[in-house]
Amino acid sequence: MNPFSSGTRLRDMIRSIRACKTAAEERAVVRKECAAIRAAISENDQDYRHRNLAKLMFIHMLGYPTHFGQMECLKLIAASGFPEKRIGYLGLMLLLDERQEVLMLVTNSLKQDLNHSNQYIVGLALCALGNICSAEMARDLAPEVERLLNSRDPNIKKKAALCSIRIIRKVPDLSENFMYPAASLLKEKHHGVLISGVQLCIELCKASKDSLDHIRRNCTDVLVRILKDVSNSSYAPEYDIAGITDPFLHIRVLRILRILGQGDADSSETMNDILAQVATKTESNKNAGNAILYECVETIMGIEATSGLRVLAINILGRFLSNRDNNIRYVALNILMRAISVDTQAVQRHRTTILECVKDTDASIRKRALELVFLLVNDTNAKHLIKELVDYLQVSDPDFKEDLTAKICLIVEKFSQDKLWYLDQMFKVLSLAGNFVKDDVWHALIVAISNAPDLQGYSVRLLYSALQASLEQESLVRVAVWCIGEYGEMLVNNVGFLDSEEPITVTESDAIDLVELALKRHTTDTTTRAMCLVSLLKLSSRFPPTSERVKGIVTQHKGNVELELQQRSIEFASIIQRHTGIKSTLLERMPVLDEASYLSKRAGSTEKTASGDPKSTASGDSKITSSVKVPNGVAKPPTTAAIPNLIDFSIDDAPVPPTSTTASEPPNFMMDLIDINLPSSPPSGGEPAPVINRNIIDDLLSIGTSPVENGLPASSSFPTIAKSTVPETKPAPVSDLLDGLSLSLDSSSSPSREEEHKSITAFQSGNLKITFSFRKQPEKLQATLIHATFTNLSSNAYTNFIFQAAVPKFIQLHLDPASSNTLPANGNGTITQSLTLTNTQHGQKPLAMRIRMSYKVNNEEKLEQGQAENKERKTFSLSIAFSSDSHSVERELFAVASHFLLSSSFELVPRFYKP
């Protein structure tokens, strides 16, 4: 017989494929076999159909296409014999899935087999349906499966229950049909049926609330009895595993008890006793027992258990932590991290064991234990835990030092009760793992030293000694050279000596020697060397006799390949040599750094980094820094700090675009805001344009200005605008642009009266509307009071509502507390908040503001942001008359049209009439 004919046995084909030495040989064998199978299919060979399908299944498992054999599966399923159906259903499950359209053809065969008198054929149909059932098949065959749940044969019941799980997952609406049959399965004695029934009940609880209530009401006592019987049962060989009767049934029942007891005190009380019995009687020296104990602890922590039962569960986890199996210890740490929010005191009892896990050789256990220790820290145990962690930091693996250092620094900053303890711990960390300390940590340390005048002498002496011991820790070198430069005289003169200190003697030359040593160390990076040069420059002022030596050290870097170091070297040498008169003033001690401002800015930056914002900025002198999230009711301090990333514009930092205007001419606000070069010309006669008092809406939106103010042409050939349509524009007001409401200052009004202007819609989305109303005082033209009103346009109430605003550097912003942090739905209420804007360059630069609103809808965080602008668009009809000798009318007309069209608040509809 041809070895590759359709009559080849399956084992012969497998042997031929395994004998291939290369992939090409294997592909050749498979290709010949597939060709033979195709020929047999085309000839409708019934004798070898089952053998061909078996070979196709093996070829399919090797990764070759076998779609041409799908119809053979259906033919075998339609056969009457059990062997053919067995191969057919196996091929159906392997070669097809629920997305295949051909699967619809097998529905009728499945229905017939589910009603077959042979229990084995019924079992085949149930297995196939449980594996490839689609939503349509589930709806068609659910009644047959429901009927089979009441079969007398336990194997059929078990398979019908597993098939019902697939049906419920595909069509959750059918769950109500299976509630009562599932409950009846829990009364069976056969453990296989019990496990399947419990799993079906778990799926029903997940699928619908009604099913959960029904099972909780009718099955809780039954499940408690099942768990009690299986726990107290005597030895049964068919169910025994490592001396424990059927741990699989144990675990399934414990899982459904956790679902039923969650949030229900009555059900939890029913199962408390049996859970305590399982927790105390189960042996933990075998893996099966540990699995049951783990599931029991999960159930106790998930239900409304008594405090004593929770303590028992946490004690079991404590025993797990002493187990030699790394997997058991890891899962125990995972549960303890969740349990700490339920019973912190019980977890604290195992603090010593958890600390030992931090020193484990397994990396995953170390990291998980460290996270748990961080959660355990409080005001009472912070010092003890920090001491243990710092001691371990000396001997920890380099791969683990970064995580350990970060956690120690966080704990020290969060739980420092006095500055001295904080400084001591941070100095220890810098000495042991300074290379792993992040920049923001040592920045905060420098700020703290600056704000502790009584400890500055102590700090510089301690850092000097630490730097003498080791120059390998980069962050230690940076902090130390900064302190030596700032407080060098305290180091030499032993100023601020504490009783706990050991006396040291340091000369001026010693201080310079140490900084020079740090500067010349070959592993020092550019930032540290730059700090060393600054420190040496300051020491030349603190210690005048050493100026020449410092100058010689600094001059050595005039030819450095690093431009930063080269520039500093030249500048610092010039200061030492030529500017001795101002050197002492120039190099005096830095003023005290604002610790509260720095910490709030750092908190905002940390929050932004944690949220994965790609625009978060690095440390250093950047022009754009992270915005500080200020809650409602907390005033943002006026500052000239750079604009946060929220704004995404740099009006004040960008160079002024070159224009043809004179120095005294008002700036072109259109160019300033959107960076567009509009044509401009000076006023006729060469007279400089007068500086006009800017109106707040005029400033904010850059609209309503005269052509001359905005750099538009004002030549004699400019087209004439009909006065009957648009009134002549006066120098300051924008009255005709805002429906006749004058927004200019009335000269006849009292100088002390506040001027109230028209409200505008500054922001509007599908969910939120913000309205701004403005006030100005004539005697304070730079200051503008904005009254913001927030309206919820959606059908859901907003909670935790926070409004933020960001402005350029030349504008100072003050936020008053908001009236509320809850915004009712459908516009049934509003939140109001006042803002005060002070434009330090009033009349030169316009107001610009970006806004951001964050809130929660159904406990889901939402964020909206945009630019404050007037959303009320205006349409004007301009009648323009021009003479035939206006040779430049098209250019001038384009200029005025551009001016209006580029304003986001106006739409131009020109109509032309020739006189």
Side-chain angles (χ1 to χ4, degrees):
M1 180 182 292
N2 185 353
F4 299 115
S5 67
S6 62
T8 306
R9 292 181 301 177
L10 175 63
R11 67 180 67 180
D12 294 333
M13 187 197 73
I14 295 174
R15 190 178 294 113
S16 300
I17 291 175
R18 287 182 175 175
C20 297
K21 298 188 181 334
T22 64
E25 291 182 17
E26 179 184 299
R27 285 194 296 270
V29 171
V30 172
R31 189 164 50 247
K32 290 178 181 179
E33 188 63 43
C34 287
I37 294 173
R38 282 194 184 94
I41 292 174
S42 63
E43 295 172 2
N44 197 19
D45 185 355
Q46 299 182 8
D47 296 334
Y48 294 110
R49 181 173 286 154
H50 64 285
R51 182 182 293 179
N52 291 338
L53 187 57
K55 289 189 283 189
L56 277 179
M57 284 188 279
F58 183 80
I59 292 171
H60 172 78
M61 288 187 288
L62 293 177
Y64 295 97
T66 56
H67 56 277
F68 57 88
Q70 292 176 351
M71 293 304 298
E72 295 297 288
C73 297
L74 304 185
K75 291 177 182 178
L76 286 173
I77 290 172
S80 59
F82 174 77
E84 290 81 4
K85 284 183 179 289
R86 182 179 61 176
I87 295 293
Y89 277 121
L90 184 58
L92 184 74
M93 290 183 281
L94 280 177
L95 304 183
L96 284 83
D97 57 48
E98 62 181 274
R99 294 167 295 182
Q100 301 284 343
E101 294 182 1
V102 72
L103 197 63
M104 298 298 297
L105 303 175
V106 82
T107 303
N108 191 47
S109 296
L110 280 169
K111 190 169 186 176
Q112 291 178 359
D113 289 343
L114 289 174
N115 292 298
H116 203 280
S117 58
N118 188 332
Q119 60 172 338
Y120 299 107
I121 293 178
V122 174
L124 288 175
L126 287 172
C127 286
L129 188 61
N131 277 280
I132 61 166
C133 174
S134 63
E136 292 79 8
M137 294 175 67
R139 291 188 180 93
D140 293 338
L141 301 176
E144 277 71 23
V145 177
E146 182 184 350
R147 178 182 57 79
L148 291 173
L149 285 172
N150 298 317
S151 171
R152 293 182 179 180
D153 190 285
N155 288 323
I156 298 297
K157 282 186 178 180
K158 178 176 65 175
K159 293 180 180 181
L162 296 175
C163 186
S164 302
I165 294 172
R166 171 85 177 196
I167 292 173
I168 293 170
R169 287 176 180 172
K170 290 297 173 184
V171 189
D173 295 341
L174 296 175
S175 59
E176 60 181 13
N177 298 340
F178 294 93
M179 286 192 300
Y180 294 99
S184 65
L185 292 178
L186 300 180
K187 299 176 183 177
E188 296 288 330
K189 300 296 184 182
H190 191 278
H191 282 206
V193 177
L194 275 178
I195 292 176
S196 303
V198 171
Q199 187 61 37
L200 177 57
C201 290
I202 291 174
E203 208 63 40
L204 286 169
C205 292
K206 294 177 181 178
S208 98
K209 182 72 166 56
D210 294 338
S211 301
L212 174 62
D213 294 338
H214 173 80
I215 295 174
R216 178 181 285 156
R217 187 170 53 253
N218 299 309
C219 301
T220 303
D221 293 333
V222 178
L223 290 165
V224 170
R225 179 183 55 78
I226 292 173
L227 185 59
K228 185 178 296 184
D229 291 344
V230 74
S231 298
N232 297 328
S233 64
S234 57
Y235 174 75
E238 64 270 28
Y239 301 126
D240 183 81
I241 296 177
I244 296 174
T245 302
D246 203 345
F248 300 103
L249 182 58
H250 271 94
I251 290 171
R252 295 290 180 184
V253 175
L254 286 169
R255 284 181 183 173
I256 192 172
L257 288 178
R258 178 162 76 249
I259 296 173
L260 299 178
Q262 189 172 9
D264 189 274
D266 294 336
S267 299
S268 300
E269 186 177 356
T270 304
M271 58 187 77
N272 276 339
D273 292 340
I274 186 59
L275 290 176
Q277 180 180 336
V278 171
T280 52
K281 288 184 62 177
T282 306
E283 297 180 2
S284 60
N285 56 350
K286 299 290 185 180
N287 201 41
N290 286 327
I292 294 173
L293 287 174
Y294 169 78
E295 206 65 43
C296 184
V297 170
E298 286 271 32
T299 302
I300 292 172
M301 303 309 296
I303 68 172
E304 306 298 318
T306 61
S307 59
L309 196 56
R310 285 178 177 158
V311 171
L312 175 61
I314 292 173
N315 289 340
I316 292 174
L317 296 176
R319 293 206 309 270
F320 279 3
L321 292 178
S322 303
N323 199 297
R324 289 179 296 178
D325 192 330
N326 288 346
N327 295 324
I328 294 175
R329 280 186 289 167
Y330 186 81
V331 297
L333 290 169
N334 277 336
I335 304 179
L336 284 172
M337 289 186 68
R338 300 199 302 270
I340 197 169
S341 60
V342 179
D343 194 340
T344 307
Q345 197 59 39
V347 180
Q348 288 280 4
R349 297 192 187 101
H350 303 280
R351 190 174 62 229
T352 304
T353 310
I354 296 170
L355 271 174
E356 290 301 316
C357 290
V358 175
K359 306 171 185 178
D360 196 87
T361 55
D362 188 275
S364 57
I365 291 178
R366 284 202 306 259
K367 289 186 177 182
R368 189 63 71 194
L370 183 61
E371 293 172 4
L372 182 55
V373 168
F374 182 75
L375 296 176
L376 286 173
V377 179
N378 54 36
D379 292 329
T380 58
N381 61 21
K383 291 188 176 181
H384 170 70
L385 288 176
I386 284 296
K387 182 180 182 303
E388 294 285 344
L389 293 177
V390 170
D391 290 343
Y392 178 61
L393 187 61
Q394 295 178 335
V395 295
S396 61
D397 294 338
D399 294 339
F400 187 54
K401 273 190 176 180
E402 184 174 358
D403 292 335
L404 184 57
T405 302
K407 292 297 184 186
I408 292 175
C409 294
L410 283 174
I411 295 172
V412 170
E413 290 176 359
K414 186 176 180 181
F415 296 99
S416 58
Q417 299 172 355
D418 59 82
K419 279 283 180 65
L420 181 59
W421 182 78
Y422 167 77
L423 294 176
D424 285 340
Q425 303 310 315
M426 292 305 298
F427 293 158
K428 287 180 183 178
V429 173
L430 289 177
S431 301
L432 296 172
N435 291 330
F436 301 96
V437 174
K438 292 181 169 49
D439 287 350
D440 62 326
V441 174
W442 66 264
H443 290 172
L445 177 59
I446 286 178
V447 173
I449 295 173
S450 173
N451 284 269
D454 296 339
L455 299 174
Q456 288 168 353
Y458 169 76
S459 299
V460 71
R461 285 188 292 273
L462 203 61
L463 287 168
Y464 176 85
S465 301
L467 194 59
Q468 276 187 317
S470 173
L471 286 168
E472 300 301 323
Q473 307 297 337
E474 202 69 43
S475 297
L476 173 66
V477 176
R478 293 178 181 180
V479 177
V481 298
W482 185 89
C483 288
I484 292 172
E486 290 294 320
Y487 315 116
E489 70 279 9
M490 291 185 172
L491 173 65
V492 173
N493 300 326
N494 280 331
V495 177
F497 197 82
L498 300 182
D499 295 337
S500 58
E501 284 189 79
E502 294 183 3
I504 60 172
T505 303
V506 180
T507 63
E508 298 174 355
S509 179
D510 293 337
I512 294 176
D513 287 342
L514 190 58
V515 177
E516 182 183 8
L517 190 61
L519 176 64
K520 293 182 177 180
R521 189 170 59 96
H522 69 280
T523 57
T524 304
D525 61 8
T526 303
T527 303
T528 307
R529 288 181 178 175
M531 294 181 70
C532 290
L533 289 176
V534 175
S535 179
L536 287 170
L537 178 64
K538 291 204 169 189
L539 288 177
S540 70
S541 176
R542 308 282 189 270
F543 312 139
T546 63
S547 295
E548 287 301 319
R549 183 187 172 193
V550 169
K551 177 187 170 185
I553 298 172
V554 170
T555 307
Q556 294 174 9
H557 293 270
K558 281 187 176 182
N560 199 294
V561 293
E562 291 287 346
L563 184 60
E564 176 71 20
L565 298 180
Q566 185 183 125
Q567 181 178 351
R568 288 185 186 235
S569 175
I570 294 171
E571 292 173 354
F572 292 174
S574 177
I575 291 173
I576 296 172
Q577 184 175 357
R578 301 178 185 176
H579 304 284
T580 55
I582 63 169
K583 185 172 70 170
S584 58
T585 306
L586 181 66
L587 302 176
E588 64 184 9
R589 188 177 298 170
M590 285 183 64
V592 176
L593 303 172
D594 188 352
E595 190 169 12
S597 174
Y598 173 78
L599 292 177
S600 63
K601 185 185 298 185
R602 181 186 176 197
S605 175
T606 304
E607 179 179 328
K608 193 164 191 178
T609 304
S611 65
D613 193 334
K615 292 185 180 179
S616 40
T617 56
S619 59
D621 298 329
S622 60
K623 291 186 178 180
I624 298 179
T625 57
S626 301
S627 62
V628 180
K629 185 173 181 180
V630 181
N632 285 338
V634 179
K636 184 181 259 186
T639 176
T640 57
I643 310 171
N645 277 350
L646 170 67
I647 301 179
D648 282 339
F649 57 63
S650 54
I651 294 175
D652 53 325
D653 293 325
V656 179
T659 65
S660 59
T661 57
T662 61
S664 60
E665 184 177 353
N668 187 327
F669 293 119
M670 293 297 291
M671 288 192 296
D672 201 296
L673 273 179
I674 56 180
D675 197 21
I676 295 179
N677 289 321
L678 295 178
S680 61
S681 61
S684 59
E687 293 291 328
V691 177
I692 302 171
N693 290 334
R694 307 296 305 158
N695 184 277
I696 171 59
I697 299 184
D698 192 2
D699 262 354
L700 184 62
L701 306 178
S702 189
I703 61 174
T705 54
S706 64
V708 174
E709 281 182 72
N710 284 284
L712 292 175
S715 61
S716 60
S717 62
F718 195 85
T720 306
I721 300 178
K723 293 184 179 180
S724 60
T725 306
V726 181
E728 181 182 355
T729 306
K730 294 183 180 181
V734 289
S735 56
D736 33 289
L737 298 183
L738 295 173
D739 299 332
L741 294 176
S742 177
L743 300 181
S744 62
L745 294 174
D746 189 354
S747 58
S748 62
S749 60
S750 171
S752 62
R753 188 186 66 172
E754 281 192 345
E755 188 72 8
E756 190 163 344
H757 305 301
K758 179 185 176 183
S759 299
I760 67 168
T761 301
F763 177 89
Q764 184 166 353
S765 66
N767 302 321
L768 187 64
K769 178 181 178 181
I770 303 176
T771 305
F772 281 177
S773 59
F774 304 87
R775 289 184 182 178
K776 283 185 79 75
Q777 292 183 356
E779 68 273 18
K780 295 181 181 178
L781 294 178
Q782 291 184 338
T784 303
L785 176 64
I786 301 178
H787 187 74
T789 304
F790 306 89
T791 307
N792 183 356
L793 303 179
S794 72
S795 58
N796 298 314
Y798 297 162
T799 58
N800 295 351
F801 187 90
I802 295 176
F803 169 72
Q804 296 172 268
V807 293
K809 285 198 298 190
F810 62 85
I811 297 175
Q812 295 179 357
L813 170 65
H814 177 81
L815 277 172
D816 289 337
S819 59
S820 174
N821 65 351
T822 301
L823 192 57
N826 299 320
N828 293 329
T830 61
I831 294 177
T832 59
Q833 190 167 7
S834 296
L835 303 81
T836 302
L837 298 176
T838 303
N839 188 352
T840 59
Q841 299 189 26
H842 177 70
Q844 301 177 22
K845 290 189 178 182
L847 290 178
M849 180 164 59
R850 294 278 290 179
I851 56 178
R852 180 166 70 177
M853 292 66 63
S854 61
Y855 51 86
K856 285 187 177 180
V857 182
N858 298 327
N859 288 328
E860 184 180 357
E861 292 282 350
K862 297 288 184 181
L863 181 69
E864 293 191 47
Q865 64 184 28
Q867 176 136 1
E869 58 184 0
N870 192 349
K871 297 292 182 183
E872 299 174 6
R873 300 186 63 86
K874 305 293 182 182
T875 303
F876 291 90
S877 176
L878 302 182
S879 298
I880 303 177
F882 59 96
S883 60
S884 59
D885 58 350
S886 300
H887 60 278
S888 60
V889 64
E890 287 135 359
R891 180 176 63 83
E892 307 294 0
L893 183 59
F894 177 77
V896 70
S898 299
H899 166 59
F900 282 96
L901 288 174
L902 287 173
S903 171
S904 62
S905 302
F906 293 92
E907 178 181 357
L908 183 66
V909 184
R911 297 192 181 110
F912 304 98
Y913 303 94
K914 188 171 182 179

